[in-house]
Amino acid sequence: MTHFSPMRSLSDIAADAASQQPFDASVESIEQSFEQPPSQPIGIILSSSGEDQTLPGETLEISVTVTNKGNQSAIIDVFLDELPAIIQSWCHVTQTRLALDPGQGEEVVFSFDIPENALSGAYRYWLVVDAPHHYPDSPPQRHEQTLQVLPSTETAVRVSDPTFAIEPITTLEKPAKTLPGNPLQFQIYVYNRADRVDRFRLICNDLPQEWLSVHYPQGFQAPGLAIVEPHLDLNPGMDGVILLTVTPPPEALAETLLATLQLKSENNPELSLLEILHLNVQPVYQLDTRFRTLVSRIQRQPGLFSIQAHNQGNTPRAIEFDILGNQDKALCDYRIEPALLTLAPQQSLTSEITVRPKHFWKRPLFGGGRMINFEVTATDPEQKPFPEMPMHGMVMWEARPWWQILPAMLLVLGSFLGLIWLVWWFFIRPPSPANVLRFAPEDTVYDASRGDTAHLGFEIEHYQRIQRIEIVGVSAEGELLSGPIVFDLRKGLPPKLTEVCVEQRYRLVCRNVRTDARRSGDYLFTMTLIPKPGRNARQIEATTLPVAIAPAPLPKILEFGPTATQYVEAAPTDSALDSPSEKNFQQDWEDPHVARLNWRIEHPEQLQALKLIRNNEAGPVGEPIVFEIKAGELPDALASYCLLTAELVCNHVPTGVRQSGTYTFELVAIPTGERAEEEILASSEAVTVQARSPQLLSFTLNGQPVAPSYLVPVNAAMGPVTLELAWEAENNPGTQVMMSPAPGDVPIKGTLPIQLSPEPGETLLALQVTNAIGEQITRSVTITTYNPTPETPTIVVNTGDEAGAAADAGGGNAAGGGSGAAGNRVGAPVPIRPGTVSPRELPPQFE
């Protein structure tokens, strides 16, 4: 088992930060420390945004992924610091230790078990990651976290329970804003819905009581005597208003506060009526500085000044001091310790300014000395409001004593010797060749999913003797992957290097030089220095460590299936399968007959297109539907059905399938970029579209709706009688129409001439409509022919109401005339004589 070492406390961290170099450290070492700032050797990825909300009885898990990005194995401590006492029992494990090799990462999970009786409120703590033994120069990484316990929503509200509301309404997105010292007033509307008189009190334990002022309505005990009651009395069915004033003190910090308001009922003490009040204390930016002169007259000792800064606001402030350039700046070495002050609210800190002359031989020989002026400026690196406060200082460099003339003579002699040395340096000494002191990547691991590009850093000595720099990136097999990137130095630094390079005497220090390597893979970068022609000139090459660009994650289809497994076939249209146009998708918004799909896809930012394939028992149906996703924007066809956030969630997407049958669907996700060929496929379960019931739209005889039976007069003198039977069925796929006894199968829509024999008799015709699954409907008609002028009259008896109704119509026509001339329209004149029935009593006849 691994033993834990004591965690680093805040005092230890402060002591480490205070341990700086001695005051008299050389200027060169300080410059080198600023030139090469140490990179953070520990990478951290938090699953929490810093604001976590939960309910009583739930479990909250916070994970942190720690990666050792340094060049050595390390033991890394991960722990929770400054936990409030009330939530220490909620987290059983608050610290752990990881042993990681370079480039290795591991995930740590902290679990909070919120009890059922937990009080609502906001609890703040710190998550700290530190490696004090292996990375002592790297400060601990501290991340502030807030655990917000919300009021329980499981308490049932009865009809007779009182209710209350806050005006104005505040939310987490729109909190009530105020400045320190300014009051905020809220009106608490209380409604007593019970049938008893009740007293109510307002309680808020999440804010300091000195911030709060609760005013209840005044009562009147006697005429003219007002009594301030510590509660609100309400009769049944009445409402009242409680005034709540929240006044943050002037020293209140700028932050967003969540306070729980509880309304207590005297009749029902166990009833919990809770509301959350969101407050935002606005920042106040007020900063004062005082410039003091401690030592201004100097000989050999440095001049000493101090700047005292006092933060009178309610937010942490940072002040950065700098010395402005002036004509005497090159004469002295100015040092501000510390140059950056970080002040907490109502805190005062002091920085010291040391002015030390650089060249002792420039000290005045005679006179009253030399006056050196300088100016100190203060700026805010965070760009917060900051008053302009220029501070002017003055140092008097006193003249030398009279006996110090000897150094002047030595100076002349030294100048002569120096001139000889300069002649040797510039004209006799062979020039030093250029040399690569450092060439390395800024990071060894990049991520193509974030659009990362490999960046390099290098340091070159005697760069003035270089005419060109070439950088190429190759794979482990020697394949050219990046470059060549060429920088021409013959006319000075090119613009691309001016922004990222610093010239330091004979050195050129460049950081974060951008390359064109953004594709995934392993790179080896080689830098070649092409020297200028001359003595001791030679070409120099340098190679970096391997650099890896991790490929972007492929999109993943997490869910894919139909919205429902059964549908009913839609009415026939011009096309049984819709084309994937925006118009059809808008028309299918509320169409219940269209088969619909749901899906959920992870990493939608890596999607180039989606392809939907529709299949039935015979194979693919129609052309695949392709949805182009350009620049992370959904096409118009999916805009009404999908939501694109961290995942692509689509619900009720129409497929255009309306025809009966059994279908399966395939969704193909096509990635972007060079991995477009790695398609991801998902299949759905079977979807059944039930066939539509057979429908007979019209069935007429001689243009009139068909009745069950007809009576038609015929004789040899009239000749043959011809009737026209017409029909139209709903043209659903698979529908068949058959006429019996003849001619059998007929079209969906058609007409059939029926020629009646002049001899009396009976003809039975039946029309049968069958859908794709065998469901049938049948309509039949019986046509009876008779001789209207027989030698022996025949009495025809009416057998039905429908025939009688048709006989009424036929009788009316019979009274008007006889049969048509062409034989296609048949009249039914019925003679009125003894032994026959009246026209009203005849069966249905044709006009």
Side-chain angles (χ1 to χ4, degrees):
M1 178 178 295
T2 302
H3 297 280
F4 293 94
S5 64
M7 298 299 173
R8 302 181 69 188
S9 62
L10 294 178
S11 61
D12 296 337
I13 298 172
D16 293 342
S19 60
Q20 305 292 336
Q21 295 181 353
F23 179 77
D24 55 349
S26 63
V27 177
E28 184 177 359
S29 63
I30 296 176
E31 292 178 353
Q32 292 177 356
S33 65
F34 282 102
E35 293 168 3
Q36 300 178 0
S39 60
Q40 185 60 254
I42 302 176
I44 298 176
I45 299 177
L46 278 174
S47 65
S48 170
S49 62
E51 297 286 342
D52 300 305
Q53 296 182 353
T54 185
L55 293 171
E58 295 184 352
T59 299
L60 175 66
E61 291 186 353
I62 298 176
S63 65
V64 53
T65 302
V66 181
T67 305
N68 183 6
K69 300 170 64 177
N71 55 3
Q72 63 177 338
S73 299
I75 296 177
I76 303 174
D77 297 327
V78 183
F79 58 94
L80 304 181
D81 194 14
E82 299 183 19
L83 276 175
I86 191 173
I87 70 172
Q88 288 182 358
S89 61
W90 299 355
C91 184
H92 303 292
V93 179
T94 60
Q95 62 181 6
T96 186
R97 174 170 290 179
L98 304 175
L100 302 177
D101 293 330
Q104 184 180 5
E106 191 170 338
E107 183 181 23
V108 179
V109 179
F110 296 99
S111 179
F112 291 87
D113 295 329
I114 315 301
E116 295 286 349
N117 57 351
L119 296 178
S120 60
Y123 305 96
R124 290 178 173 83
Y125 62 94
W126 293 83
L127 190 148
V128 184
V129 179
D130 189 17
H133 299 291
H134 296 87
Y135 299 115
D137 296 334
S138 176
Q141 300 188 43
R142 300 174 57 85
H143 300 271
E144 186 177 5
Q145 303 290 315
T146 301
L147 175 60
Q148 175 69 35
V149 180
L150 302 176
S152 177
T153 59
E154 297 180 359
T155 304
V157 180
R158 297 171 298 182
V159 177
S160 61
D161 289 341
T163 61
F164 77 103
I166 303 175
E167 178 68 29
I169 300 174
T170 62
T171 61
L172 188 60
E173 292 77 14
K174 295 183 179 179
K177 299 180 180 180
T178 184
L179 291 171
N182 291 355
L184 271 176
Q185 289 190 349
F186 297 91
Q187 295 180 346
I188 314 301
Y189 293 91
V190 184
Y191 178 45
N192 183 13
R193 301 191 298 177
D195 55 358
R196 298 172 57 192
V197 177
D198 203 348
R199 289 181 174 178
F200 300 95
R201 290 186 300 109
L202 188 65
I203 300 175
C204 179
N205 296 324
D206 292 344
L207 296 176
Q209 294 302 314
E210 57 269 17
W211 290 27
L212 305 176
S213 176
V214 183
H215 299 278
Y216 297 92
Q218 295 181 352
F220 294 91
Q221 186 176 10
L225 180 60
I227 301 175
V228 178
E229 297 289 351
H231 48 72
L232 174 63
D233 294 333
L234 289 180
N235 291 326
M238 299 296 290
D239 56 4
V241 180
I242 301 175
L243 297 180
L244 173 63
T245 303
V246 181
T247 307
E251 63 274 9
L253 300 181
E255 58 181 341
T256 299
L257 304 173
L258 281 76
T260 303
L261 299 183
Q262 182 178 9
L263 187 68
K264 299 293 289 186
S265 171
E266 184 175 317
N267 291 341
N268 193 355
E270 298 180 354
L271 181 63
S272 295
L273 299 177
L274 304 176
E275 286 290 346
I276 296 179
L277 192 64
H278 300 78
L279 303 176
N280 179 257
V281 181
Q282 296 289 298
V284 176
Y285 304 108
Q286 187 172 356
L287 195 65
D288 293 334
T289 58
R290 294 182 59 188
F291 183 80
R292 297 179 59 189
T293 302
L294 302 180
V295 177
S296 61
R297 301 183 66 87
I298 61 174
Q299 296 179 355
R300 297 181 179 179
Q301 78 280 10
L304 190 61
F305 303 85
S306 68
I307 302 176
Q308 184 179 11
H310 178 60
N311 183 11
Q312 298 179 353
N314 63 347
T315 61
R317 295 298 300 273
I319 308 177
E320 187 175 5
F321 299 106
D322 191 16
I323 304 295
L324 282 182
N326 50 58
Q327 59 181 0
D328 296 326
K329 185 175 182 180
L331 186 63
C332 297
D333 180 16
Y334 299 91
R335 176 182 295 178
I336 304 177
E337 185 65 30
L340 178 64
L341 294 179
T342 302
L343 295 91
Q346 307 301 322
Q347 184 184 13
S348 297
L349 294 177
T350 302
S351 291
E352 292 186 352
I353 301 177
T354 304
V355 182
R356 184 186 299 272
K358 292 183 179 180
H359 311 292
F360 66 91
W361 59 85
K362 291 186 178 181
R363 182 179 176 183
L365 296 177
F366 307 100
R370 183 170 183 174
M371 184 176 296
I372 302 173
N373 296 314
F374 64 94
E375 183 178 349
V376 182
T377 61
T379 59
D380 191 332
E382 298 179 0
Q383 304 299 323
K384 294 181 180 179
F386 192 83
E388 294 184 1
M389 297 176 291
M391 292 164 281
H392 300 276
M394 182 270 294
V395 175
M396 176 61 71
W397 197 3
E398 296 181 347
R400 298 175 182 271
W402 60 270
W403 50 266
Q404 292 187 355
I405 191 64
L406 181 60
M409 299 176 61
L410 296 177
L411 178 62
V412 174
L413 179 60
S415 300
F416 177 74
L417 296 177
L419 180 61
I420 296 176
W421 180 84
L422 290 176
V423 171
W424 173 84
W425 179 267
F426 289 103
F427 299 101
I428 302 176
R429 182 187 65 89
S432 300
N435 188 26
V436 179
L437 302 180
R438 176 183 175 273
F439 179 51
E442 298 297 342
D443 200 347
T444 58
V445 179
Y446 295 89
D447 192 354
S449 63
R450 299 194 301 263
D452 290 349
T453 303
H455 289 69
L456 303 174
F458 53 83
E459 183 176 350
I460 301 175
E461 187 180 28
H462 300 297
Y463 71 95
Q464 297 88 350
R465 296 182 176 88
I466 302 173
Q467 66 174 350
R468 188 168 73 254
I469 299 176
E470 295 182 0
I471 300 176
V472 296
V474 298
S475 64
E477 294 77 17
E479 180 185 1
L480 181 63
L481 300 178
S482 173
I485 302 174
V486 180
F487 302 105
D488 192 348
L489 275 66
R490 288 177 295 182
K491 296 182 181 180
L493 288 180
K496 292 183 179 180
L497 290 183
T498 304
E499 302 175 356
V500 295
C501 294
V502 177
E503 298 175 282
Q504 299 176 356
R505 296 183 180 179
Y506 302 107
R507 295 182 181 180
L508 178 65
V509 181
C510 299
R511 301 297 302 270
N512 293 316
V513 179
R514 184 185 181 92
T515 67
D516 57 354
R518 57 172 53 91
R519 295 187 302 170
S520 60
D522 295 330
Y523 293 78
L524 286 175
F525 290 95
T526 301
M527 180 173 66
T528 304
L529 304 182
I530 309 299
K532 296 179 180 178
R535 294 181 300 166
N536 205 17
R538 66 178 184 271
Q539 183 172 308
I540 300 174
E541 291 186 355
T543 304
T544 66
L545 295 174
V547 179
I549 300 180
L554 289 174
K556 182 178 181 181
I557 302 176
L558 303 178
E559 296 178 6
F560 177 61
T563 303
T565 57
Q566 291 188 353
Y567 295 87
V568 179
E569 184 181 24
T573 59
D574 295 337
S575 175
L577 193 66
D578 288 345
S579 59
S581 63
E582 179 185 357
K583 179 179 179 182
N584 291 332
F585 272 82
Q586 293 177 352
Q587 292 174 351
D588 291 344
W589 177 259
E590 296 181 354
D591 192 344
H593 303 286
V594 179
R596 298 175 181 271
L597 297 173
N598 302 334
W599 63 75
R600 184 164 64 93
I601 301 178
E602 189 181 28
H603 299 298
E605 69 278 358
Q606 303 299 329
L607 274 178
Q608 176 182 351
L610 288 174
K611 182 165 62 176
L612 181 61
I613 302 174
R614 304 165 289 184
N615 303 312
N616 60 7
E617 297 88 341
V621 178
E623 295 294 330
I625 303 176
V626 179
F627 306 101
E628 298 287 344
I629 301 177
K630 299 180 179 178
E633 295 184 359
L634 292 175
D636 296 338
L638 293 180
S640 302
Y641 305 95
C642 298
L643 179 63
L644 180 59
T645 55
E647 296 180 349
L648 175 60
V649 180
C650 298
N651 293 315
H652 305 288
V653 178
T655 62
V657 173
R658 294 182 173 87
Q659 185 176 348
S660 62
T662 301
Y663 298 86
T664 58
F665 300 92
E666 295 179 354
L667 183 65
V668 180
I670 304 175
T672 59
E674 59 187 11
R675 308 181 70 183
E677 297 180 356
E678 303 180 26
E679 298 181 348
I680 296 92
L681 176 65
S683 301
S684 71
E685 59 180 307
V687 177
T688 302
V689 180
Q690 297 178 354
R692 184 177 176 87
S693 299
Q695 301 288 332
L696 186 59
L697 303 180
S698 66
F699 189 33
T700 61
L701 191 61
N702 281 6
Q704 298 296 324
V706 173
S709 60
Y710 291 89
L711 188 62
V712 179
V714 295
N715 55 31
M718 296 172 57
V721 177
T722 301
L723 306 179
E724 184 178 89
L725 183 66
W727 66 90
E728 181 181 0
E730 192 176 70
N731 189 16
N732 294 314
T735 300
Q736 296 181 352
V737 181
M738 185 176 67
M739 180 73 71
S740 60
D745 293 335
V746 294
I748 298 295
K749 179 179 180 181
T751 59
L752 179 65
I754 301 173
Q755 187 172 5
L756 300 179
S757 174
E759 297 296 331
E762 184 176 283
T763 302
L764 176 62
L765 298 174
L767 183 69
Q768 180 178 342
V769 182
T770 307
N771 66 359
I773 61 175
E775 295 180 349
Q776 299 178 353
I777 60 171
T778 304
R779 293 289 301 275
S780 62
V781 59
T782 302
I783 302 175
T784 303
T785 58
Y786 72 96
N787 188 356
T789 58
E791 296 179 358
T792 303
T794 303
I795 299 177
V796 181
V797 181
N798 185 12
T799 59
D801 295 337
E802 295 182 359
D808 290 341
N813 293 330
S819 60
N824 289 332
R825 291 185 58 85
V826 180
V830 179
I832 302 177
R833 60 177 182 267
T836 63
V837 297
S838 65
R840 185 176 298 275
E841 297 172 342
L842 291 175
Q845 303 179 30
F846 290 98
E847 296 179 356

